[in-house]
Every structure is written in structure tokens, then in C-alpha cells.
Amino acid sequence: MQELICDEKNRCLLWKTGMEMSKESVFSWKMMENNRIEGLLPFEHYYIDNQNCFRYAFGTMQTVAEIMQGGESDYETFYFLCFRLLTALKSGEEYLLQDTGYLLEPDKIFWEKEKKEIALCYLPGQESVFSDSFLKLLEYLLRHVGHSDKRTVEFIYGLYDLAVSGGISIENLSGYAERFWQSPAGRDDNRNSAIKPDQKPVEEFQDGGCENCRFCLRFVENGRNDKTGIALYGKNAYELQGQEMAVGREQDSDLHLPYDTVSRRHAVLFQEDGEIFLMDMASRNGTFVNGDKISAFAKTKCRENDVIRFADISFRLIAAG
């Protein structure tokens, strides 16, 4: 027997399931218990009345349903929601979580707008059909689209068309979102295009500077990120080649920072009209300039000697000699 209770007073969800669980369910449960999985609500586990009980505290977070109550939402809201949702699903896939365990109802997806975080609830042992749940979520979002906003309509209807045509796989949906963000339809005057797939990896330059670029990031040694010396393979500076530098935990990032605190596609640094701008890609732990957290998907102008921090790893922006 399975039961889900929403305790509004204590701001938590309680999932009760039988003592006998499938091997797949137990595996998912232990995987969540022993790992911090990006985009999932943490839980407490206990036994009561011969049942496994999982308690998920969502605290002050709002639900997507509450966010959408205000009326039609804009493109940035829809894109952020879908992008972070798909990021969480990709993270769960890396930890071999079965897709049947996700709660994808609008009143069960939690949003912390101040921290720009979205959290999903994963129920080990839940028996649901992921494709049906995802389609229902998209149909809900379609009802809140402002049809005068061309970008929003193109994005969300394109995602829906892909889903109904049989493309409901996390890889397909994530690929669509990333391609749309880079396309002319997904751009506006307040941000630059997202990370390009054909970017070349950066190379180390000598202490005297780099001859072929104007700016570079030099690692800042401090007590918070002493571990990075190993991660950066002995390099302490990275040049901005061409127009963009992708920063993140993914191996194909121009500046590869393989740590759990850093998001897969964390931020992008880019040149425009001879100036340097930084854009956070809705990272989990934020991007900072001189200690101030910058907004997601917003162009932030940077100057020489600014200290740029990706989660807990800091660099200084310097001009090449």
C-alpha cells in the first residue's frame, strides 16, 4: 500500500510505502540517501506501522502551481523552470534513478525564487508512467502561456510537440531546450547566446601572459578552494579564446571544474564590443562578482581585476600582457 500526504502545517510531504520494496526501489532509496543529487528534495527515513516512511521538508519554497496563480508567465520563467527541471532529471539519471519515482505535478514541484532553485520530490517505489506525467505537466504549462509572447509560445509548444511525437527522453528534451536557448528565437538584447557545442578547449598560457587574447582568468588561491590546484591540472590561468568561455562541471566545458558544488553548465564568460560580460546559467550555487551574486541569464559587465567566483572557486579577471 502506498500513500502520499501533504502536511501544509509542517511544510513537508510524507510518503508511506510497504516494508516489502523491489530491489530497484531500495537501490534508488540508498542512492539518494548516500549522495547529494542535484535538484532533488532531501528526505528523512523512518519506520512506522510496518511501513517505510519518507519525509520531504520543502520549508518556505513555493510550488509551481502557486507561482503560476498570478496569471500568464513570461519566457524567462518558463525557460528557467523547464531547464532546471530537466537538469534535475539528468542528475537523477546519472545516479541510475528510475524515472517512475518523480512527482511532476505542479503542486509538488518546489521553487525557491530568491535562490533560483527548483526541487523535485522523488518517491522510491512509486509506480507511475514518466511520459504521462511529463505530458500532463506540459499541458498545465500551456494553459499559462501568454500567447502574445512569441518566444514563450515557440519554446513551450516546441517542447510539447517533441514530447507528443515520441521524444520523451531526458536527453531529447534537454537537447531541445539547449538548442532553443542558442537559437535566434531564444535570444534577446539582454543576454548572449548559450554555450556553443563546437567551442575549442582553452590552453594554458605562460606567466608572462597570453599573446592571442585580451583577457584571462587567473586562479585565486585562498582557504576555500585549495583543492582546485589538482582539478586544474597544475594550471593557474585560463585564457578567453574567441568570443566565449563555457564554465562548468561537464567535461567539454572550456573551463572544466569537476566538483559537486559547480553545476554542469554553470556560467559563460564572453566578449562583446571589446568588453567582458558574465552570465550565470541558473547554476545551483551561484556565480559571484566581487562577492555579489549575479542574476541568472542576465548579462553582467566585468572589469579588469574583478574576482569572479563559480560556487566556491575563485578567479581574477586580468588583461593579457
Side-chain angles (χ1 to χ4, degrees):
M1 180 178 178
Q2 299 175 340
E3 182 182 13
L4 179 65
I5 301 170
C6 183
D7 185 347
E8 286 288 351
K9 181 180 179 181
N10 295 304
R11 305 292 290 171
C12 67
L13 293 173
L14 184 62
W15 170 244
K16 296 182 178 180
T17 188
M19 294 293 288
E20 294 296 326
M21 299 177 67
S22 67
K23 290 182 179 180
E24 292 81 6
S25 299
V26 173
F27 177 83
S28 297
W29 159 18
K30 295 302 180 183
M31 189 66 74
M32 294 166 59
E33 195 169 49
N34 295 317
N35 296 281
R36 178 185 175 187
I37 303 178
E38 184 176 359
L40 296 190
L41 279 174
F43 67 91
E44 297 174 343
H45 172 258
Y46 55 93
Y47 300 100
I48 187 170
D49 297 332
N50 293 318
Q51 286 185 303
N52 280 298
C53 297
F54 299 85
R55 181 181 182 275
Y56 304 82
F58 52 84
T60 60
M61 298 182 82
Q62 293 180 284
T63 67
V64 167
E66 290 171 332
I67 298 291
M68 296 295 174
Q69 278 180 353
E72 296 177 349
S73 295
D74 59 16
Y75 168 72
E76 300 295 339
T77 299
F78 277 106
Y79 187 88
F80 171 77
L81 169 62
C82 293
F83 183 83
R84 294 298 290 168
L85 175 68
L86 291 167
T87 297
L89 294 174
K90 286 175 69 177
S91 182
E93 198 173 51
E94 290 182 4
Y95 286 92
L96 305 179
L97 299 186
Q98 300 292 312
D99 59 19
T100 56
Y102 293 102
L103 279 180
L104 296 180
E105 293 91 342
D107 61 345
K108 303 295 189 305
I109 300 174
F110 300 95
W111 194 332
E112 181 64 74
K113 295 201 77 173
E114 292 295 322
K115 296 181 179 179
K116 294 183 171 59
E117 292 181 357
I118 286 176
L120 299 179
C121 187
Y122 186 91
L123 309 180
Q126 177 184 235
E127 299 173 359
S128 67
V129 179
F130 173 74
S131 58
D132 292 348
S133 299
F134 196 86
L135 270 178
K136 287 180 181 178
L137 175 62
L138 288 179
E139 288 167 356
Y140 171 86
L141 295 179
L142 286 172
R143 295 196 294 271
H144 292 80
V145 168
H147 286 79
S148 60
D149 186 338
K150 183 179 178 181
R151 284 194 305 155
T152 305
V153 171
E154 288 187 17
F155 171 67
I156 200 69
Y157 273 89
L159 192 62
Y160 182 76
D161 288 344
L162 176 64
V164 296
S165 65
I168 298 189
S169 74
I170 296 171
E171 183 179 359
N172 286 347
L173 297 169
S174 297
Y176 167 82
E178 292 176 6
R179 289 192 300 274
F180 189 90
W181 181 259
Q182 297 178 56
S183 71
R187 301 178 188 174
D188 63 19
D189 294 335
N190 294 319
R191 65 173 183 83
N192 198 47
S193 62
I195 301 163
K196 297 176 181 177
D198 58 350
Q199 287 177 314
K200 297 178 180 179
V202 296
E203 298 175 355
E204 181 182 7
F205 62 92
Q206 302 302 317
D207 291 337
C210 109
E211 298 179 356
N212 298 319
C213 66
R214 286 191 58 206
F215 295 95
C216 52
L217 289 176
R218 184 174 295 278
F219 173 61
V220 176
E221 300 222 18
N222 55 46
R224 299 185 63 183
N225 51 359
D226 54 356
K227 63 185 181 182
T228 313
I230 298 174
L232 300 184
Y233 317 108
K235 304 177 184 180
N236 66 358
Y238 290 77
E239 65 183 78
L240 175 57
Q241 294 183 337
Q243 294 301 308
E244 294 184 355
M245 174 191 285
V247 182
R249 201 169 75 239
E250 288 193 340
Q251 289 190 354
D252 62 353
S253 299
D254 295 330
L255 178 49
H256 178 214
L257 302 175
Y259 289 102
D260 290 340
T261 54
V262 177
S263 297
R264 289 172 183 76
R265 292 178 181 260
H266 195 102
V268 60
L269 191 72
F270 58 93
Q271 297 188 72
E272 193 172 278
D273 298 326
E275 295 183 311
I276 299 295
F277 293 90
L278 179 66
M279 184 182 297
D280 179 83
M281 303 300 289
S283 64
R284 179 178 179 83
N285 293 309
T287 302
F288 303 78
V289 177
N290 298 324
D292 296 326
K293 188 174 183 179
I294 67 174
S295 299
F297 302 131
K299 284 170 56 174
T300 300
K301 186 176 179 179
C302 297
R303 296 174 175 81
E304 186 178 359
N305 291 319
D306 280 351
V307 174
I308 298 174
R309 176 157 57 90
F310 308 106
D312 56 354
I313 301 175
S314 299
F315 294 84
R316 185 179 298 278
L317 182 67
I318 60 174

PDB file of all heavy atoms in Angstrom, residues 24 43 79-80 89-90 105 121 130 150 167 184 197 208 210 253 264 283:
ATOM      1  N   GLU A  24      14.868  -2.473  -7.203  1.00  0.00           N
ATOM      2  CA  GLU A  24      15.090  -1.184  -7.859  1.00  0.00           C
ATOM      3  C   GLU A  24      14.738  -0.031  -6.941  1.00  0.00           C
ATOM      4  O   GLU A  24      15.441   0.983  -6.889  1.00  0.00           O
ATOM      5  CB  GLU A  24      14.268  -1.098  -9.143  1.00  0.00           C
ATOM      6  CG  GLU A  24      14.703  -2.045 -10.259  1.00  0.00           C
ATOM      7  CD  GLU A  24      14.173  -3.455 -10.058  1.00  0.00           C
ATOM      8  OE1 GLU A  24      13.380  -3.672  -9.115  1.00  0.00           O
ATOM      9  OE2 GLU A  24      14.556  -4.346 -10.854  1.00  0.00           O
ATOM     10  N   PHE A  43      15.507  13.965   2.139  1.00  0.00           N
ATOM     11  CA  PHE A  43      14.446  13.308   2.898  1.00  0.00           C
ATOM     12  C   PHE A  43      14.988  12.715   4.192  1.00  0.00           C
ATOM     13  O   PHE A  43      16.191  12.527   4.366  1.00  0.00           O
ATOM     14  CB  PHE A  43      13.786  12.211   2.062  1.00  0.00           C
ATOM     15  CG  PHE A  43      14.694  11.036   1.765  1.00  0.00           C
ATOM     16  CD1 PHE A  43      14.736   9.945   2.614  1.00  0.00           C
ATOM     17  CD2 PHE A  43      15.508  11.042   0.645  1.00  0.00           C
ATOM     18  CE1 PHE A  43      15.575   8.869   2.351  1.00  0.00           C
ATOM     19  CE2 PHE A  43      16.351   9.976   0.370  1.00  0.00           C
ATOM     20  CZ  PHE A  43      16.379   8.888   1.224  1.00  0.00           C
ATOM     21  N   TYR A  79      11.384  29.133 -19.334  1.00  0.00           N
ATOM     22  CA  TYR A  79      12.657  28.501 -19.696  1.00  0.00           C
ATOM     23  C   TYR A  79      13.402  28.056 -18.449  1.00  0.00           C
ATOM     24  O   TYR A  79      13.931  26.943 -18.384  1.00  0.00           O
ATOM     25  CB  TYR A  79      13.537  29.442 -20.519  1.00  0.00           C
ATOM     26  CG  TYR A  79      14.756  28.721 -21.035  1.00  0.00           C
ATOM     27  CD1 TYR A  79      14.724  28.035 -22.249  1.00  0.00           C
ATOM     28  CD2 TYR A  79      15.921  28.639 -20.279  1.00  0.00           C
ATOM     29  CE1 TYR A  79      15.819  27.312 -22.699  1.00  0.00           C
ATOM     30  CE2 TYR A  79      17.016  27.917 -20.717  1.00  0.00           C
ATOM     31  CZ  TYR A  79      16.965  27.267 -21.929  1.00  0.00           C
ATOM     32  OH  TYR A  79      18.041  26.539 -22.354  1.00  0.00           O
ATOM     33  N   PHE A  80      13.452  28.925 -17.446  1.00  0.00           N
ATOM     34  CA  PHE A  80      14.156  28.573 -16.210  1.00  0.00           C
ATOM     35  C   PHE A  80      13.550  27.323 -15.588  1.00  0.00           C
ATOM     36  O   PHE A  80      14.262  26.405 -15.176  1.00  0.00           O
ATOM     37  CB  PHE A  80      14.088  29.739 -15.222  1.00  0.00           C
ATOM     38  CG  PHE A  80      14.598  29.399 -13.851  1.00  0.00           C
ATOM     39  CD1 PHE A  80      15.952  29.322 -13.596  1.00  0.00           C
ATOM     40  CD2 PHE A  80      13.714  29.123 -12.821  1.00  0.00           C
ATOM     41  CE1 PHE A  80      16.424  28.981 -12.337  1.00  0.00           C
ATOM     42  CE2 PHE A  80      14.171  28.790 -11.565  1.00  0.00           C
ATOM     43  CZ  PHE A  80      15.522  28.722 -11.317  1.00  0.00           C
ATOM     44  N   LEU A  89      16.411  16.036 -13.685  1.00  0.00           N
ATOM     45  CA  LEU A  89      16.160  14.696 -14.240  1.00  0.00           C
ATOM     46  C   LEU A  89      17.450  14.072 -14.775  1.00  0.00           C
ATOM     47  O   LEU A  89      17.682  12.868 -14.610  1.00  0.00           O
ATOM     48  CB  LEU A  89      15.115  14.782 -15.347  1.00  0.00           C
ATOM     49  CG  LEU A  89      13.696  15.193 -14.913  1.00  0.00           C
ATOM     50  CD1 LEU A  89      12.803  15.388 -16.124  1.00  0.00           C
ATOM     51  CD2 LEU A  89      13.101  14.161 -13.965  1.00  0.00           C
ATOM     52  N   LYS A  90      18.294  14.884 -15.418  1.00  0.00           N
ATOM     53  CA  LYS A  90      19.581  14.374 -15.906  1.00  0.00           C
ATOM     54  C   LYS A  90      20.470  13.954 -14.751  1.00  0.00           C
ATOM     55  O   LYS A  90      21.183  12.950 -14.825  1.00  0.00           O
ATOM     56  CB  LYS A  90      20.280  15.456 -16.746  1.00  0.00           C
ATOM     57  CG  LYS A  90      19.667  15.667 -18.118  1.00  0.00           C
ATOM     58  CD  LYS A  90      20.311  16.817 -18.840  1.00  0.00           C
ATOM     59  CE  LYS A  90      21.734  16.514 -19.229  1.00  0.00           C
ATOM     60  NZ  LYS A  90      22.336  17.643 -20.017  1.00  0.00           N
ATOM     61  N   GLU A 105       3.700  16.786 -10.656  1.00  0.00           N
ATOM     62  CA  GLU A 105       2.516  17.630 -10.565  1.00  0.00           C
ATOM     63  C   GLU A 105       2.914  19.055 -10.180  1.00  0.00           C
ATOM     64  O   GLU A 105       3.839  19.254  -9.389  1.00  0.00           O
ATOM     65  CB  GLU A 105       1.532  17.081  -9.523  1.00  0.00           C
ATOM     66  CG  GLU A 105       0.912  15.752  -9.893  1.00  0.00           C
ATOM     67  CD  GLU A 105       1.716  14.581  -9.366  1.00  0.00           C
ATOM     68  OE1 GLU A 105       2.898  14.791  -9.024  1.00  0.00           O
ATOM     69  OE2 GLU A 105       1.180  13.459  -9.326  1.00  0.00           O
ATOM     70  N   CYS A 121      10.522  16.096  -5.939  1.00  0.00           N
ATOM     71  CA  CYS A 121      10.372  15.052  -4.933  1.00  0.00           C
ATOM     72  C   CYS A 121      10.447  13.704  -5.637  1.00  0.00           C
ATOM     73  O   CYS A 121       9.737  13.473  -6.621  1.00  0.00           O
ATOM     74  CB  CYS A 121       9.034  15.218  -4.218  1.00  0.00           C
ATOM     75  SG  CYS A 121       8.831  14.095  -2.819  1.00  0.00           S
ATOM     76  N   PHE A 130       6.385   7.888 -16.521  1.00  0.00           N
ATOM     77  CA  PHE A 130       7.060   9.178 -16.648  1.00  0.00           C
ATOM     78  C   PHE A 130       6.522   9.982 -17.822  1.00  0.00           C
ATOM     79  O   PHE A 130       6.260  11.185 -17.701  1.00  0.00           O
ATOM     80  CB  PHE A 130       8.565   8.951 -16.809  1.00  0.00           C
ATOM     81  CG  PHE A 130       9.326  10.218 -17.119  1.00  0.00           C
ATOM     82  CD1 PHE A 130       9.544  11.164 -16.145  1.00  0.00           C
ATOM     83  CD2 PHE A 130       9.824  10.457 -18.396  1.00  0.00           C
ATOM     84  CE1 PHE A 130      10.234  12.333 -16.419  1.00  0.00           C
ATOM     85  CE2 PHE A 130      10.502  11.612 -18.688  1.00  0.00           C
ATOM     86  CZ  PHE A 130      10.717  12.555 -17.694  1.00  0.00           C
ATOM     87  N   LYS A 150       5.742  35.776 -28.230  1.00  0.00           N
ATOM     88  CA  LYS A 150       6.106  34.834 -29.290  1.00  0.00           C
ATOM     89  C   LYS A 150       7.164  33.843 -28.837  1.00  0.00           C
ATOM     90  O   LYS A 150       7.083  32.645 -29.144  1.00  0.00           O
ATOM     91  CB  LYS A 150       6.605  35.604 -30.510  1.00  0.00           C
ATOM     92  CG  LYS A 150       6.947  34.702 -31.704  1.00  0.00           C
ATOM     93  CD  LYS A 150       7.408  35.526 -32.897  1.00  0.00           C
ATOM     94  CE  LYS A 150       7.786  34.621 -34.058  1.00  0.00           C
ATOM     95  NZ  LYS A 150       8.267  35.413 -35.220  1.00  0.00           N
ATOM     96  N   GLY A 167       9.243  11.937 -28.375  1.00  0.00           N
ATOM     97  CA  GLY A 167      10.592  12.327 -27.963  1.00  0.00           C
ATOM     98  C   GLY A 167      10.750  12.513 -26.471  1.00  0.00           C
ATOM     99  O   GLY A 167      11.552  13.326 -26.019  1.00  0.00           O
ATOM    100  N   PRO A 184      18.152  32.023 -32.593  1.00  0.00           N
ATOM    101  CA  PRO A 184      17.685  33.419 -32.637  1.00  0.00           C
ATOM    102  C   PRO A 184      16.367  33.612 -31.907  1.00  0.00           C
ATOM    103  O   PRO A 184      16.155  34.642 -31.268  1.00  0.00           O
ATOM    104  CB  PRO A 184      17.536  33.682 -34.142  1.00  0.00           C
ATOM    105  CG  PRO A 184      18.506  32.759 -34.783  1.00  0.00           C
ATOM    106  CD  PRO A 184      18.484  31.518 -33.936  1.00  0.00           C
ATOM    107  N   PRO A 197      28.378  24.187 -29.059  1.00  0.00           N
ATOM    108  CA  PRO A 197      28.941  22.840 -29.000  1.00  0.00           C
ATOM    109  C   PRO A 197      30.294  22.699 -29.668  1.00  0.00           C
ATOM    110  O   PRO A 197      30.994  21.730 -29.435  1.00  0.00           O
ATOM    111  CB  PRO A 197      27.884  22.001 -29.733  1.00  0.00           C
ATOM    112  CG  PRO A 197      27.202  22.966 -30.652  1.00  0.00           C
ATOM    113  CD  PRO A 197      27.201  24.277 -29.925  1.00  0.00           C
ATOM    114  N   GLY A 208      53.895  35.115 -18.328  1.00  0.00           N
ATOM    115  CA  GLY A 208      54.042  36.423 -18.932  1.00  0.00           C
ATOM    116  C   GLY A 208      52.791  36.914 -19.617  1.00  0.00           C
ATOM    117  O   GLY A 208      52.722  38.048 -20.061  1.00  0.00           O
ATOM    118  N   CYS A 210      49.167  36.003 -22.250  1.00  0.00           N
ATOM    119  CA  CYS A 210      48.802  35.282 -23.451  1.00  0.00           C
ATOM    120  C   CYS A 210      48.790  36.247 -24.614  1.00  0.00           C
ATOM    121  O   CYS A 210      48.273  37.333 -24.519  1.00  0.00           O
ATOM    122  CB  CYS A 210      47.469  34.591 -23.243  1.00  0.00           C
ATOM    123  SG  CYS A 210      46.101  35.227 -24.091  1.00  0.00           S
ATOM    124  N   SER A 253      33.431  21.465 -21.052  1.00  0.00           N
ATOM    125  CA  SER A 253      33.459  22.890 -20.728  1.00  0.00           C
ATOM    126  C   SER A 253      34.843  23.460 -21.017  1.00  0.00           C
ATOM    127  O   SER A 253      35.863  22.791 -20.827  1.00  0.00           O
ATOM    128  CB  SER A 253      33.120  23.118 -19.252  1.00  0.00           C
ATOM    129  OG  SER A 253      31.832  22.644 -18.939  1.00  0.00           O
ATOM    130  N   ARG A 264      26.684  21.651 -13.999  1.00  0.00           N
ATOM    131  CA  ARG A 264      27.212  21.133 -15.257  1.00  0.00           C
ATOM    132  C   ARG A 264      27.483  22.268 -16.247  1.00  0.00           C
ATOM    133  O   ARG A 264      28.528  22.329 -16.862  1.00  0.00           O
ATOM    134  CB  ARG A 264      26.218  20.143 -15.866  1.00  0.00           C
ATOM    135  CG  ARG A 264      26.153  18.836 -15.097  1.00  0.00           C
ATOM    136  CD  ARG A 264      25.030  17.965 -15.619  1.00  0.00           C
ATOM    137  NE  ARG A 264      24.939  16.740 -14.833  1.00  0.00           N
ATOM    138  CZ  ARG A 264      24.412  16.686 -13.615  1.00  0.00           C
ATOM    139  NH1 ARG A 264      23.916  17.779 -13.072  1.00  0.00           N
ATOM    140  NH2 ARG A 264      24.379  15.555 -12.957  1.00  0.00           N
ATOM    141  N   SER A 283      22.824  28.369 -12.261  1.00  0.00           N
ATOM    142  CA  SER A 283      23.606  27.399 -11.502  1.00  0.00           C
ATOM    143  C   SER A 283      23.006  27.204 -10.110  1.00  0.00           C
ATOM    144  O   SER A 283      22.338  28.092  -9.570  1.00  0.00           O
ATOM    145  CB  SER A 283      25.054  27.876 -11.373  1.00  0.00           C
ATOM    146  OG  SER A 283      25.115  29.082 -10.623  1.00  0.00           O
TER     147      SER A 283
END
